[in-house]
Amino acid sequence: DAVEISLKDIDQLARTSFPLCMRHMLEKLRENHHLKHGGRMQFGLFLKGAGLKLEDALAFWRAEFSQKVGSERFDKEYAYSIRHNYGKEGKRTDYTPYSCQKIISATPGVGDHHGCPYRHFGEENLRAALNKMGVSGHPLEEIMDKVKNRHYQLACTLTFEAAHGVSCDTGINHPNQYFSESQNMLK
Ligand code: SF4
């Protein structure tokens, strides 16, 4: 669809409408001014799917990475892969954002921040991250119960419901679906 998001709204949108996996990567990117390849792919394609245009995407990543590696190195080593994700380089494939299933089956290593927090965080970190989203008490315990039973997408669906105060009958199966359902509700 033709929905567009702009650079200046990303942090606000993350607070209201990003699923936990994407909130986490934005936080780490802001903190470290860097994300490894797996994170750049997962988060970059999500932002593209959410409606971030190529020029804004380049400005977004450059603003962070240049603080770490300098803008010259950013332009030389990283800008290409962002344009690539938008189908502007290489085979010019227009890459689609990853589904939950793909994200859940990722195998993030040390220093990686991609993947699905319900699947890849330890219990303590997950509880803390959910608390930060304003989820606590009975809903939190229900979510942790789903996680124990390896129902990660159900855990994410329950988080959506707790964070938005509504039921989500379709269930979450894609981070961009989480985002657009949240945005539709807030309209
Ligand atoms: Fe992200 Fe999907 Fe995991 Fe939710 S279930 S945190 S949207 S990968």
Side-chain angles (χ1 to χ4, degrees):
D1 48 13
V3 178
E4 278 185 38
I5 65 172
S6 71
L7 196 51
K8 62 173 180 17
D9 296 331
I10 289 179
D11 292 277
Q12 170 63 27
L13 289 169
R15 275 192 293 278
T16 59
S17 299
F18 281 14
L20 186 52
C21 52
M22 304 303 172
R23 289 170 65 105
H24 177 61
M25 278 191 292
L26 179 61
E27 198 178 300
K28 287 297 165 187
L29 176 65
R30 296 282 192 226
E31 189 180 308
N32 302 328
H33 314 301
H34 191 271
L35 275 182
K36 290 175 134 188
H37 178 74
R40 295 198 302 275
M41 290 298 290
Q42 183 181 316
F43 191 37
L45 289 172
F46 166 79
L47 290 173
K48 173 182 143 183
L52 190 69
K53 296 283 155 255
L54 174 61
E55 279 72 62
D56 278 357
L58 285 166
F60 171 73
W61 292 100
R62 182 184 287 118
E64 290 300 336
F65 270 61
S66 60
Q67 294 178 57
K68 178 96 176 179
V69 303
S71 48
E72 203 172 306
R73 214 180 123 196
F74 172 83
D75 289 337
K76 248 166 85 182
E77 290 177 31
Y78 298 97
Y80 176 91
S81 71
I82 293 158
R83 286 196 300 271
H84 191 88
N85 278 352
Y86 279 76
K88 304 291 183 211
E89 299 280 3
K91 283 184 287 175
R92 297 184 180 264
T93 312
D94 208 1
Y95 292 95
T96 47
Y98 296 172
S99 67
C100 291
Q101 213 179 10
K102 183 174 168 100
I103 293 170
I104 288 167
S105 60
T107 51
V110 178
D112 277 325
H113 299 294
H114 65 281
C116 173
Y118 301 97
R119 165 78 176 84
H120 297 112
F121 277 19
E123 182 176 342
E124 219 170 294
N125 279 347
L126 182 57
R127 282 179 178 275
L130 289 166
N131 277 160
K132 243 173 125 179
M133 286 180 81
V135 181
S136 59
H138 180 65
L140 176 61
E141 297 314 317
E142 269 194 311
I143 293 164
M144 297 310 294
D145 195 58
K146 296 289 180 226
V147 170
K148 270 185 206 110
N149 291 301
R150 298 170 164 266
H151 297 310
Y152 307 116
Q153 289 172 225
L154 279 177
C156 191
T157 305
L158 290 181
T159 305
F160 182 98
E161 293 181 342
H164 294 80
V166 292
S167 67
C168 173
D169 302 330
T170 46
I172 299 300
N173 55 51
H174 199 292
N176 288 93
Q177 173 218 354
Y178 185 113
F179 176 73
S180 57
E181 289 202 14
S182 171
Q183 285 292 288
N184 285 339
M185 283 196 38
L186 297 170
K187 262 179 201 153

